[in-house]
Amino acid sequence: MWCSRMALRGLQRITPLALTSNMQREMSGLSRVYITRQIPPEGLKILRESGQVQFQLWDSDDIPVPRQEMLEKVKGADALLCVLTEKIDAELLDAAGPNLKVISTMSVGFDHLSLEELKRRGIRVGYTPDVLTDSVAELTVALLLTTSRRLIEATHEAKTGGWGTWRTLWLCGHELANSTVGILGLGRIGVAIAERLAPFKVKKFIYTDVVPRPELASMINAEYVSFDELAEQSDFLSVCCALTPETKEICNKNLFSKMKSTSIFINTSRGGVVNQDDLYEALSTGQIAGAGLDVTVPEPLPISHPLFTLKNCVILPHIASASYITRNAMSALAANNLLLGLRGEPMIKELKL
Ligand SMILES: O=C(O)C(=O)CO
């Protein structure tokens, strides 16, 4: 059902069957929005109270909207609010039709959006950077320590009888003190991770990117190095770059073969930047010491996947931004971007296409 503020208060029932969507829109004066997921309450509240839109949503957080359902439901919409599991491509934009003016994604990543198509059609795109930086940086540090200090293995041993006497080299890991931490793709999140790691007495931060980022680098005293130098020198390598055609599977056997056998690889960006077969090889042969992944291809990673068999690989189910505050902030920002976009005003966070 399309829900406007009035309808939600039970003052008005939408929608006489004989009217086309354009007629309904013109009569109500409200823009039509399709929301592809049950998003956290802050965003829904903003949309409801705006008096600007009527919306219809896929009312589940547990199952993504089936593609066919979405293709039908977007017909005639003025705006879509989506999450990262929905592919917004030419087929979907065709299904939505010419009224569609705004896509607002509740994510900082935008690899699920066909940007060329959106640009060609003059559709504006909102996204949600910044509000999730703290949460993602925090989780990255947690994952890094969990992997490097082998916490999952350790709790498993403690629970299952593997805890014998105190042993001199049992469950030894790698420490951050005096280490070199490398960041692949320096942006807000990379800086926030480094700021949190610095108090662990990291010796040096290095980074690589398409071009040097002196302003960001100066915040964490990081040195710009080549891709190969990053691989060779990092004791901990944290992937923070966006997934683009250029970064697809950039972490492959070429990178892993240059890393130290004591190095820890961490990925909280997108699974697609890693060649998982090459990573499995590097982990299982001891080419690198361990990997912590919050993101994989596909998601969810099938439980039969070989990476799950490795003790030195910690896999999380894409939860880097999963704190109540952050997810509500993302939801609110996505709603506000959408409303501003529909009014033809600058969004709070808009992708430059
Ligand atoms: O916002 C994103 O892009 C995410 O991956 C959510 O953590």
Side-chain angles (χ1 to χ4, degrees):
M1 187 214 287
W2 291 95
C3 308
S4 68
R5 178 178 57 168
M6 298 246 286
L8 282 158
R9 287 182 187 157
L11 297 175
Q12 177 190 309
R13 285 272 167 253
I14 310 172
T15 357
L17 285 175
L19 299 182
T20 66
S21 57
N22 274 338
M23 288 161 79
Q24 289 166 29
R25 179 186 298 105
E26 274 156 30
M27 284 172 66
S28 70
L30 300 174
S31 300
R32 290 178 63 164
V33 175
Y34 184 68
I35 308 175
T36 67
R37 187 67 71 95
Q38 188 190 76
I39 57 169
E42 282 296 313
L44 289 179
K45 185 163 176 277
I46 288 166
L47 294 179
R48 276 185 193 122
E49 291 177 357
S50 69
Q52 193 187 326
V53 295
Q54 54 182 319
F55 61 82
Q56 195 171 31
L57 90 163
W58 173 251
D59 200 5
S60 168
D61 195 20
D62 297 332
I63 309 165
V65 57
R67 179 79 179 173
Q68 203 48 45
E69 165 94 7
M70 185 164 66
L71 289 172
E72 277 158 29
K73 287 291 163 50
V74 296
K75 278 194 185 82
D78 298 289
L80 301 185
L81 198 160
C82 67
V83 296
L84 53 83
T85 48
E86 272 70 71
K87 218 172 173 35
I88 308 297
D89 55 9
E91 182 192 34
L92 187 107
L93 300 176
D94 285 345
N99 290 324
L100 190 67
K101 293 177 257 323
V102 173
I103 301 284
S104 178
T105 181
M106 192 188 125
S107 63
V108 64
F110 43 82
D111 46 288
H112 54 301
L113 312 177
S114 297
L115 298 183
E116 282 302 315
E117 277 299 324
L118 290 161
K119 183 175 177 178
R120 201 171 64 73
R121 296 168 194 238
I123 296 171
R124 293 172 62 195
V125 178
Y127 71 138
T128 62
D130 297 341
V131 293
L132 46 58
T133 299
D134 287 334
S135 177
V136 173
E138 224 173 83
L139 188 284
T140 306
V141 172
L143 180 57
L144 185 150
L145 289 168
T146 300
T147 309
S148 61
R149 298 306 299 268
R150 304 172 60 182
L151 301 187
I152 305 296
E153 275 180 83
T155 56
H156 178 76
E157 293 293 331
K159 276 196 293 198
T160 57
W163 186 0
T165 184
W166 184 89
R167 281 173 264 175
T168 57
L169 283 176
W170 188 51
L171 285 174
C172 282
H174 299 279
E175 61 188 54
L176 274 163
N178 290 312
S179 69
T180 296
V181 172
I183 297 166
L184 177 53
L186 187 66
R188 303 162 288 252
I189 293 178
V191 168
I193 292 168
E195 284 170 345
R196 283 159 178 78
L197 292 178
F200 285 88
K201 299 191 179 170
V202 168
K203 187 176 68 195
K204 191 173 173 190
F205 288 104
I206 56 177
Y207 75 101
T208 199
D209 211 316
V210 194
V211 289
R213 315 255 179 224
E215 262 181 48
L216 289 171
S218 68
M219 294 167 72
I220 50 168
N221 209 7
E223 183 189 328
Y224 183 70
V225 295
S226 69
F227 185 77
D228 284 358
E229 287 166 335
L230 189 87
E232 287 156 10
Q233 295 176 26
S234 297
D235 295 304
F236 297 88
L237 201 164
S238 181
V239 182
C240 300
C241 59
L243 173 60
T244 63
E246 292 73 36
T247 62
K248 189 163 189 295
E249 298 197 2
I250 195 173
C251 302
N252 53 30
K253 59 162 83 102
N254 170 49
L255 175 97
F256 299 129
S257 67
K258 295 190 170 79
M259 287 175 70
K260 306 177 198 179
S261 60
T262 50
S263 291
I264 302 288
F265 176 81
I266 301 296
N267 185 11
T268 49
S269 69
R270 282 291 183 270
V273 301
V274 178
N275 179 311
Q276 286 176 178
D277 292 340
D278 292 354
L279 177 62
Y280 175 82
E281 185 70 14
L283 288 167
S284 57
T285 59
Q287 199 163 62
I288 66 173
L293 312 175
D294 182 48
V295 284
T296 58
V297 177
E299 293 183 2
L301 192 66
I303 53 175
S304 60
H305 195 281
L307 283 172
F308 276 122
T309 64
L310 299 174
K311 282 188 177 170
N312 58 349
C313 188
V314 176
I315 301 175
L316 301 178
H318 202 149
I319 56 163
S321 65
S323 76
Y324 293 112
I325 285 181
T326 290
R327 287 288 168 83
N328 263 304
M330 290 167 73
S331 171
L333 179 52
N336 281 321
N337 281 340
L338 181 143
L339 294 173
L340 287 162
L342 280 174
R343 294 207 295 269
E345 295 172 25
M347 296 182 189
I348 301 168
K349 295 290 173 187
E350 181 164 353
L351 266 181
K352 305 245 172 313
L353 296 181

